[in-house]
Amino acid sequence: MAAHSDPHYDGLGHHISPVRVYWLVFAALLVFTGLTYAVSFAKLGPASLPVAMLVACIKATLVCTFFMHLKYDERFNLLVFVSSLFFMAVFFGFTMLDVASRALVDPIEGYGVYEQYNPPAAPAEAAPAEAAPAADEAPAAGH
Amino acid sequence: MASIAETHTGPHDGGHHESYLTAKRGIASWLTTVDHKRIGVMYLASILFFFFVGGVAALLVRTELLNPGKDLVEHAVYNQLFTLHGAIMVFLFIVPSIPASLGNIVLPLMLGAKDVAFPKMNLASYYFYVVGAILFILTIVLGGLDTGWTFYAPYSTTTSTSVISATFGAFVLGFSSIFTGINFLVTIHKMRAPGMTWDRMPLMVWALYATSLIQVLATPVIAITLLLLICERTFGIGIFDPALGGDPVLFQHFFWFYSHPVVYVMILPGFGVISELVTVHSRKGIFGYMAIAISSVAIAFIGFLVWGHHMFVAGESSLAATVFSFLTFAVAVPTAIKVFSWIATMYGGSIRYTTPMYYVFVFLFLFSIGGLTGLFLGALAVDVQMHDTYFVVAHFHYVMMGGTFIAFLGGLFHWWPKFTGKMYDERLGKLSAVLVFIGFNVTFFTQFVLGSRGMPRRYYTYQPQFHTLHEISTIGSYILTAGLLVALVTFIKSLKSGEKATANPWNGMTLEWHTESPPIEHNFAEQPICRRGPYDFPEIDESAAGARH
Amino acid sequence: MSDSHAAHGHADAPGNNSPFFQHHFVTMTQQASAAKLGMWLFLVQEVLFFSGLFMFYIIFRYLHPDTMLWASEHLLDKTMGGINTVVLLFSSVTMALAVRAGQVGNKQHQVTYLAITIVCACIFLCVKYVEYSHKFHMGALPGHFYSYAGNIPGEPQTFFALYFCLTGLHGIHVIAGIIALLWLMKRSARGDFGPTYYAPLELTGLYWHLVDLVWIFLFPLLYLIH
């Protein structure tokens, strides 16, 4: 309807990204997916979760910036979206503060949830517990 | 006609525009309307109906408590009655009360917009409300609910009453609330009249803005919580029930992450109403406009950081409890800013003793008590003593009923001429305010005493030493009911034989007074342009005197 | 934020002669930006809706790291999850291209890209179906229905509750997305969308990308645990 002289903007004056950008972002996403998949086979131990989350965050940022157009959108929409992450962090943070610290201040009264499931005597039993999964791979008969 | 707006056609010569009430006729035109005013009226009728249902349940509870032991009903029925009262009042009355009824009608009018941003979504939100309400009624039919309105696990995952229909009802009502919130936020951001900058918005709009923020941010969490509760009941997934390896305190975290902010969904719109009423009926510009506006948003924000104060004795860690207690006191700061600003607004004003102003006085008195007793409960050591006693019951009734409900009634009286085009009988209105004030205090102040002496909440029977106080409280609830009936009579009488209201009976300056009473279908005959602040009354601004005619 | 109010000059503003222009807005630009803000707020709602399940995940992983590790490693198929990730990412790029086709007013491209997006969504669901039926077959089910014969440490029935809740809720969102995409395809084919009116495409696009975003986090959290 509206004649648009500038190919970078549509009839409402919003930015139009070149097709090439979308495919480049897609390629980057594939690379990161491959990376996170490959890394999952490397035994990184406690570092594996932060690495996986870092990669996921980079991927999410790419999707938000280019596919969801946050780069060219009104700044306020970015604030709106980031605020949801903030309040999610509040929810996680305070709840974990409680769950993780129930036994901290008063170890007798506040016998922690974590300790209930993971008795303090763990060091002695740690080795069998580690080995158990491998041994149990064959379905236990009669269960 | 002094107003913050200037248009070429004033309200008087817009006679050829039909009012929203008469523009279209027939039931179908109401049920399929996308007009925010009609949707607001439908909400108003629905929430008043549920207020009546919840109120009857409350009266039955109070009557049962007249004597220890059985008066009217068995203990199992009593458990269902107080649950019904709580759940209906919270989910079907007080959460949607001011925003979805009064707010829906006045918000676009105050902004100088033709409608909310998404009119169809507004109607959808009403129907979500209806579906949720039907599910609640279904709950009563299917065997009732006896968990209390809080649905605490593991009782709610094991009781034989109809938890699933009730929680699913609350789930659906949650989406009604979210849709209203999204609609209001977008309307406020995108649909303000030309010239209406953020510092010229009426304080009611600021309050609704803060309310909507909470609705959008907190409600989804209760939605997923209730789904998880349903899954726990159906599949035994083991998240909340300790018998299945879950953590019941975790349920309370999930629940109060929503339900604490939502108490600000209940009270913030009340603050907004009071800000309008106090300034219009005192004929004086609001004291501390920006302070009140920003404190609404501040309350909404801090409200997200304090939910753990509901769980001080529930097994929460001492560290978390300390942090939550500390943060709880922070809420008192913006709240006190508001109360002091309202009082300072009245100081030196020219107060008109109208019914809405009577309700403002009632609000200030009751809300201050409710707010201050909240500090007792936020203090760790005191809460250990007071938790789950009548002290808590009295506290939240002072805030919810003495605050929100009183503001709702005051606002209803204030905007009644605008909604219906009819005036009401001031003497009857004032009588209702006085009776409500007396009845309320007799009912609930007694409960502070009961609670501090150790009477636990939700109990069917009690020790003989509490008998007199329970009797006084029950008698108070009858006086309160009488006051509310007088208000009802006032409204019915006004509808039947009230004299015709002018466009601006209170000489308000906000835009809703700039269109006819009742407003025309598209709100304004011509797009209003905002040129002044919302409370720049001509009496106090000599330079505006020339604009009056 | 309030710059979208043009007090005067309506009929000549771009898009105001569109049949989809709603009378309570002043300009089409205002209508489009209101719709988009509404969608972003809806996405905020979605994020917090999912946050409840992620909270469940965090707590469970904190309390039962061994269960999670074992169950994920032995009973979830990384390759299936990986295929689904690629499929969903691809559908995201075709969705974005469909929105772009709306912006430039290319009807043929809109329909084609939407169709590819729908096909990808269906492939995603098919892979999920294969994974689910495998778990049903083994009895690796939530809560009371758990009957897996293997001896998994900790609380495996809760792990599968978590797995089914997270992927199930995500799957429901995929299904809702397919319905919205089918509706869009009908409207695109009719030629509703052009440079001044493509809000439904854009909003559904935003929703679809959020569904993708959730999966971007679910994949490493559920399938790639070490």
Side-chain angles (χ1 to χ4, degrees):
Chain A
M1 287 174 226
H4 40 284
S5 46
D6 189 339
H8 300 299
Y9 295 92
D10 65 29
L12 297 174
H14 294 157
H15 183 265
I16 301 177
S17 303
V19 177
R20 178 174 44 88
V21 169
Y22 290 114
W23 289 114
L24 279 175
V25 172
F26 177 62
L29 288 170
L30 281 186
V31 169
F32 280 114
T33 306
L35 183 71
T36 195
Y37 184 79
V39 162
S40 78
F41 288 100
K43 303 281 177 202
L44 287 182
S48 62
L49 180 66
V51 169
M53 284 298 97
L54 180 70
V55 173
C57 286
I58 294 171
K59 283 165 74 181
T61 312
L62 283 173
V63 170
C64 287
T65 313
F66 295 101
F67 288 177
M68 299 171 99
H69 270 263
L70 272 179
K71 189 175 178 209
Y72 309 102
D73 211 345
E74 292 170 50
R75 288 288 95 165
F76 187 68
N77 290 345
L78 176 64
L79 179 69
V80 167
F81 191 59
V82 170
S83 76
S84 77
L85 305 179
F86 174 81
F87 284 95
M88 190 168 75
V90 167
F91 180 36
F92 292 171
F94 278 99
T95 307
M96 282 316 287
L97 171 71
D98 169 35
V99 174
S101 71
R102 282 195 196 150
L104 203 67
V105 179
D106 188 347
I108 299 159
E109 288 281 319
Y111 188 57
V113 175
Y114 183 81
E115 286 72 16
Q116 279 175 30
Y117 292 111
N118 304 275
E125 294 170 14
E130 284 281 326
D136 289 335
E137 247 176 286
H143 185 68
Chain B
M1 182 68 211
S3 165
I4 60 167
E6 289 172 11
T7 58
H8 302 295
T9 46
H12 354 70
D13 50 57
H16 55 283
H17 293 286
E18 282 274 3
S19 97
Y20 78 100
L21 294 168
T22 53
K24 293 192 182 77
R25 289 181 187 279
I27 296 285
S29 78
W30 278 85
L31 294 180
T32 59
T33 184
V34 289
D35 181 348
H36 68 98
K37 302 180 287 301
R38 285 188 161 205
I39 294 170
V41 169
M42 293 200 292
Y43 259 120
L44 188 62
S46 313
I47 62 161
L48 286 176
F49 171 74
F50 283 105
F51 178 73
F52 174 76
V53 176
V56 169
L59 278 177
L60 289 172
V61 166
R62 268 320 325 158
T63 308
E64 172 54 47
L65 289 168
L66 203 49
N67 299 299
K70 186 188 168 186
D71 282 328
L72 278 180
V73 294
E74 291 298 333
H75 58 87
V77 180
Y78 171 85
N79 288 349
Q80 297 201 358
L81 279 174
F82 78 69
T83 302
L84 198 65
H85 166 66
I88 285 187
M89 285 299 193
V90 168
F91 294 113
L92 289 168
F93 173 69
I94 206 160
V95 170
S97 64
I98 296 179
S101 66
L102 302 185
N104 227 331
I105 307 179
V106 299
L107 177 77
L109 288 168
M110 283 182 154
L111 292 173
K114 284 184 190 147
D115 207 322
V116 291
F118 311 116
K120 284 182 196 155
M121 196 164 94
N122 203 13
L123 184 66
S125 131
Y126 176 71
Y127 281 111
F128 271 96
Y129 175 85
V130 172
V131 171
I134 290 171
L135 283 164
F136 262 90
I137 293 169
L138 207 61
T139 307
I140 303 172
V141 180
L142 290 177
L145 181 72
D146 63 352
T147 60
W149 76 276
T150 48
F151 303 116
Y152 271 11
Y155 185 68
S156 59
T157 58
T158 48
T159 174
S160 61
T161 51
S162 184
V163 176
I164 291 184
S165 61
T167 43
F168 195 65
F171 174 83
V172 175
L173 288 169
F175 280 93
S176 162
S177 190
I178 292 170
F179 284 173
T180 305
I182 292 178
N183 224 333
F184 283 8
L185 286 175
V186 177
T187 307
I188 294 168
H189 269 283
K190 302 288 180 188
M191 315 262 305
R192 301 192 307 279
M196 183 166 289
T197 48
W198 284 84
D199 57 354
R200 282 182 184 168
M201 285 197 322
L203 288 167
M204 174 75 179
V205 175
W206 272 102
L208 287 172
Y209 186 78
T211 307
S212 306
L213 284 176
I214 304 175
Q215 284 178 317
V216 174
L217 287 165
T219 319
V221 176
I222 194 71
I224 194 70
T225 308
L226 295 175
L227 281 188
L228 283 169
L229 185 65
I230 292 173
C231 287
E232 182 96 339
R233 265 185 86 88
T234 328
F235 306 112
I237 59 173
I239 172 170
F240 301 134
D241 186 350
L244 300 168
D247 175 4
V249 182
L250 190 61
F251 178 83
Q252 300 190 21
H253 276 297
F254 275 65
F255 181 82
W256 289 111
F257 180 81
Y258 160 77
S259 294
H260 192 76
V262 96
V263 306
Y264 302 112
V265 165
M266 303 177 197
I267 192 66
L268 279 170
F271 290 162
V273 171
I274 295 300
S275 301
E276 296 298 318
L277 267 52
V278 79
T279 169
V280 171
H281 296 274
S282 300
R283 313 304 305 152
K284 186 159 165 275
I286 193 91
F287 180 92
Y289 172 89
M290 250 347 202
I292 295 185
I294 298 301
S295 66
S296 287
V297 182
I299 290 173
F301 178 73
I302 302 171
F304 275 95
L305 311 176
V306 302
W307 79 83
H309 66 215
H310 295 269
M311 299 145 59
F312 286 161
V313 299
E316 183 181 37
S317 85
S318 314
L319 176 65
T322 313
V323 173
F324 279 124
S325 174
F326 173 76
L327 289 168
T328 299
F329 292 111
V331 182
V333 176
T335 314
I337 288 175
K338 281 179 187 292
V339 175
F340 288 134
S341 296
W342 293 323
I343 292 169
T345 303
M346 288 192 286
Y347 178 78
S350 166
I351 295 171
R352 290 184 304 210
Y353 291 92
T354 54
T355 307
M357 197 61 194
Y358 270 48
Y359 275 103
V360 170
F361 294 142
V362 176
F363 175 95
L364 287 175
F365 191 89
L366 300 183
F367 177 76
S368 300
I369 295 179
L372 289 171
T373 49
L375 294 178
F376 295 29
L377 295 171
L380 278 168
V382 185
D383 186 69
V384 173
Q385 167 76 11
M386 298 297 191
H387 190 84
D388 270 352
T389 68
Y390 267 63
F391 193 89
V392 177
V393 176
H395 158 69
F396 69 70
H397 278 90
Y398 264 86
V399 180
M400 297 291 102
M401 189 171 187
T404 310
F405 179 73
I406 296 297
F408 169 74
L409 261 187
L412 194 54
F413 275 108
H414 180 73
W415 282 299
W416 184 262
K418 179 54 62 185
F419 297 169
T420 62
K422 301 270 180 67
M423 295 305 286
Y424 55 85
D425 186 335
E426 278 287 355
R427 279 174 314 149
L428 273 179
K430 287 177 197 170
L431 177 66
S432 78
V434 171
L435 278 175
V436 165
F437 180 73
I438 296 170
F440 185 91
N441 281 303
V442 173
T443 312
F444 293 108
F445 203 84
T446 326
Q447 297 188 0
F448 279 127
V449 182
L450 271 173
S452 58
R453 291 184 182 176
M455 171 73 208
R457 70 191 280 205
R458 291 178 172 174
Y459 273 36
Y460 175 65
T461 187
Y462 46 82
Q463 308 259 302
Q465 69 262 32
F466 298 130
H467 193 179
T468 315
L469 287 169
H470 268 299
E471 275 179 337
I472 296 172
S473 181
T474 303
I475 291 165
S477 71
Y478 298 152
I479 303 174
L480 181 56
T481 310
L484 295 176
L485 287 176
V486 172
L488 182 67
V489 169
T490 316
F491 289 129
I492 292 173
K493 199 172 150 224
S494 158
L495 280 182
K496 287 184 107 170
S497 59
E499 58 181 289
K500 199 175 171 346
T502 58
N504 191 359
W506 312 120
N507 291 320
M509 303 299 289
T510 41
L511 286 178
E512 81 271 26
W513 302 110
H514 190 67
T515 181
E516 287 171 70
S517 298
I520 59 171
E521 200 184 2
H522 296 303
N523 291 354
F524 299 96
E526 190 161 307
Q527 172 71 62
I529 296 167
C530 181
R531 304 223 188 267
R532 312 174 60 188
Y535 310 112
D536 299 344
F537 296 110
E539 295 98 308
I540 52 167
D541 182 2
E542 282 305 314
S543 65
R548 297 159 86 179
H549 36 114
Chain C
M1 284 160 264
S2 59
D3 28 296
S4 46
H5 310 291
H8 17 253
H10 313 145
D12 51 338
N16 279 22
N17 51 358
S18 158
F20 303 105
F21 178 58
Q22 292 168 312
H23 79 276
H24 62 288
F25 289 106
V26 179
T27 60
M28 196 59 156
T29 316
Q30 183 195 23
Q31 179 179 329
S33 93
K36 208 199 269 187
L37 177 60
M39 193 64 203
W40 276 107
L41 288 166
F42 182 76
L43 297 191
V44 165
Q45 180 282 129
E46 288 284 3
V47 168
L48 284 147
F49 190 62
F50 273 100
S51 78
L53 291 182
F54 282 107
M55 185 79 249
F56 184 12
Y57 177 92
I58 294 171
I59 298 271
F60 186 80
R61 185 159 181 168
Y62 176 73
L63 295 178
H64 306 286
D66 46 347
T67 312
M68 192 139 230
L69 186 64
W70 202 93
S72 162
E73 211 168 319
H74 293 85
L75 294 172
L76 298 187
D77 191 333
K78 273 183 196 184
T79 312
M80 292 253 194
I83 291 170
N84 257 353
T85 307
V86 173
V87 167
L88 215 50
L89 286 174
F90 186 70
S91 81
S92 237
V93 74
T94 54
M95 184 70 232
L97 288 168
V99 177
R100 189 186 182 279
Q103 284 183 300
V104 299
N106 187 332
K107 189 169 120 183
Q108 191 52 49
H109 280 181
Q110 286 170 38
V111 177
T112 314
Y113 283 128
L114 286 174
I116 299 174
T117 312
I118 294 171
V119 169
C120 287
C122 292
I123 294 174
F124 180 88
L125 287 180
C126 288
V127 174
K128 271 261 83 77
Y129 172 77
V130 173
E131 287 188 86
Y132 274 18
S133 58
H134 180 56
K135 289 187 186 49
F136 272 75
H137 186 68
M138 288 193 303
L141 291 170
H144 298 321
F145 299 93
Y146 180 78
S147 60
Y148 179 58
N151 191 4
I152 309 179
E155 310 263 348
Q157 76 285 8
T158 307
F159 173 80
F160 287 103
L162 183 59
Y163 170 80
F164 278 103
C165 281
L166 276 167
T167 55
L169 190 69
H170 180 261
I172 290 170
H173 279 80
V174 173
I175 293 169
I178 291 176
I179 295 168
L181 288 166
L182 286 170
W183 168 73
L184 279 184
M185 215 161 90
K186 188 180 146 222
R187 290 195 64 179
S188 287
R190 201 166 64 193
D192 282 1
F193 305 127
T196 57
Y197 177 72
Y198 54 91
L201 269 176
E202 192 180 25
L203 303 194
T204 312
L206 288 176
Y207 169 84
W208 191 251
H209 297 311
L210 186 90
V211 172
D212 190 23
L213 281 181
V214 172
W215 186 257
I216 285 177
F217 284 93
L218 280 187
F219 173 56
L221 285 177
L222 285 174
Y223 291 82
L224 307 179
I225 299 174
H226 259 286

